[in-house]
Amino acid sequence: MHRFLVRHLETAAKVPVYARHHWRTLLIRGCVITIAIVLVVVIGKHLDADLPGMEGWIEEQGPWMPVIFCAIFLVASLLCLPADIFVFTAGTLFDLGWGFALAALTEYIAMVIQFFIARGFLKKRIESFMEKHPRFRAIDKAVSKKGLRIGFLLRLGPVPFSPLSYVLGVSRIRFRTYMLASVGMLPSLLAVVYYGVVARHLTRLATGQEHHGWVHYASMIVGAIVALFASVYIARVARKALKDADAL
């Protein structure tokens, strides 16, 4: 497990903390979101005849379907697999309210487990990795002085969620501060769930299972665009604040 984790930490170490090319980030993220939504709609259209049966089967599982989803998502988070895929899926399967609640609950459970795994079982290995990367050493130094502020800014977007949890786990941050700082992940989490919701509704429209006026769908798409701009802007502000604080 530790080798798999270190590979993902290596990837996280290459993510630029302060993105000067704001519009490039916006364009790339917008393209990724658009492709994801289009793929869901195309697959849904291809499975047109099977969708009612699939949705019926999901409803028949009752509370077990959210439990199964959260369990898979939890394992993926512990292994540092891309969380956005599962957060997006939460919006597609469970809509906005339940999707956000399930995604947030799973992320919080993963965060607690990652903290104690890092502080116990993988402490020496992660510390050894951090010694080779000035950015992560800087995180340890910064959170020892301004744990809540730096932890919150980091959670807003500059560093991938799961690798950051492991790094913070071996830092000098207190567990209570670690948990409070994690509130910073919620805006981006809500935005990605919303993208999944948009994909869900457009799929139902394309397959004839849902009929609303054009204002409904236009407002959903505009909402997705607003969420995209807001999430990129928030991450940019967080990166600039970290740079100004000489945290990274």
Side-chain angles (χ1 to χ4, degrees):
M1 177 181 175
H2 72 276
R3 292 179 181 176
F4 189 81
L5 172 60
V6 167
R7 284 200 298 270
H8 283 82
L9 287 172
E10 291 279 2
T11 302
K14 298 175 183 177
V15 177
V17 172
Y18 181 60
R20 295 181 179 179
H21 304 291
H22 175 55
W23 289 105
R24 182 185 299 176
T25 302
L26 191 64
L27 179 61
I28 293 173
R29 188 170 298 183
C31 288
V32 171
I33 293 166
T34 301
I35 291 170
I37 292 174
V38 169
L39 280 175
V40 171
V41 174
V42 170
I43 293 172
K45 185 68 175 175
H46 182 70
L47 299 175
D48 188 357
D50 300 320
L51 278 181
M54 293 171 63
E55 292 185 351
W57 180 83
I58 291 174
E59 291 177 359
E60 288 174 3
Q61 306 312 305
W64 284 109
M65 189 61 193
V67 170
I68 293 170
F69 171 80
C70 289
I72 296 172
F73 184 12
L74 178 61
V75 172
S77 292
L78 296 178
L79 294 175
C80 288
L81 297 177
D84 282 354
I85 296 173
F86 295 91
V87 179
F88 183 92
T89 303
T92 303
L93 292 178
F94 305 107
D95 225 334
L96 186 60
W98 278 109
F100 178 69
L102 292 172
L105 174 63
T106 306
E107 289 281 35
Y108 270 106
I109 294 173
M111 187 178 61
V112 172
I113 296 173
Q114 287 163 336
F115 181 89
F116 289 107
I117 287 178
R119 193 148 290 194
F121 180 61
L122 295 177
K123 183 176 177 63
K124 292 183 178 179
R125 292 184 174 91
I126 297 177
E127 284 179 337
S128 176
F129 169 83
M130 290 172 64
E131 284 299 316
K132 302 175 184 177
H133 294 275
R135 172 188 296 184
F136 291 130
R137 292 201 305 271
I139 288 177
D140 184 28
K141 182 179 178 181
V143 297
S144 68
K145 298 177 181 179
K146 299 179 180 179
L148 182 59
R149 179 171 181 265
I150 298 300
F152 178 78
L153 290 171
L154 287 166
R155 289 297 189 191
L156 283 175
V159 182
F161 179 84
S162 291
L164 177 61
S165 295
Y166 285 112
V167 169
L168 289 177
V170 299
S171 72
R172 285 168 280 185
I173 194 171
R174 295 181 179 180
F175 179 69
R176 182 179 64 180
T177 304
Y178 172 85
M179 294 298 292
L180 289 173
S182 66
V183 174
M185 74 176 179
L186 296 180
S188 62
L189 200 69
L190 180 60
V192 178
V193 171
Y194 186 75
Y195 304 145
V197 172
V198 173
R200 171 191 177 101
H201 283 268
L202 291 179
T203 301
R204 294 176 68 87
L205 172 66
T207 56
Q209 298 181 48
E210 180 177 284
H211 298 284
H212 294 289
W214 67 269
V215 174
H216 172 80
Y217 298 104
S219 63
M220 292 198 72
I221 293 173
V222 170
I225 294 172
V226 170
L228 170 62
F229 273 83
S231 61
V232 172
Y233 178 75
I234 288 170
R236 183 170 181 265
V237 169
R239 291 184 177 104
K240 189 176 186 305
L242 286 167
K243 184 186 180 187
D244 293 342
D246 292 325
L248 297 174

